[in-house]
């Protein structure tokens, strides 16, 4: 379970956040990428970084987009501030 309180400051990674998932990305980078994509209202990138089982349950992209635009999740889109409060060790 992830709890996100806020994200701030300079990117933790030299190249910023990735726009496509790779198996070599550490979990923190994936979360940062998803938060960045949510802030940018980039639903396609959020979906691209979703876990395979999540994609199977919430996809295709059009259905995932509808879910994110529903009141329960729309607060995540274009958010002004987010902070990860825990790194995986």
């Amino acid at each position: 379970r992830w709890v996100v309180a806020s994200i701030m400051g300079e990117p933790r990674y030299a190249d910023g956040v990735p726009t496509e998932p790779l198996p070599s990305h550490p979990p923190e980078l994936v979360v940062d990428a998803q938060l960045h994509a949510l802030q940018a209202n980039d639903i396609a990138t959020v979906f691209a970084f979703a876990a395979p089982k999540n994609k199977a349950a919430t996809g295709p992209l059009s259905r995932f987009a509808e879910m994110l635009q529903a009141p329960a999740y729309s607060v995540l889109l274009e958010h002004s501030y987010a902070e990860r409060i825990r790194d995986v060790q």
Side-chain angles (χ1 to χ4, degrees):
R1 177 183 138 176
W2 286 96
V3 176
V4 178
S6 69
I7 258 186
M8 57 194 253
E10 296 299 317
R12 295 178 42 164
Y13 307 96
D15 297 331
V17 294
T19 57
E20 60 184 59
L22 293 173
S24 60
H25 292 324
E28 296 87 358
L29 184 56
V30 171
V31 171
D32 288 349
Q34 287 183 315
L35 288 170
H36 182 77
L38 286 164
Q39 187 175 40
N41 199 9
D42 184 352
I43 295 172
T45 297
V46 176
F47 187 68
F49 278 92
K53 287 185 179 182
N54 185 310
K55 285 182 179 181
T58 61
L61 175 58
S62 59
R63 183 172 170 222
F64 184 78
E66 285 180 29
M67 180 188 76
L68 279 183
Q69 293 165 353
Y73 296 103
S74 64
V75 66
L76 299 171
L77 299 173
E78 299 179 359
H79 65 271
S80 60
Y81 183 77
E83 176 183 359
R84 265 190 306 104
I85 59 172
R86 179 176 165 224
D87 286 343
V88 175
Q89 300 295 327

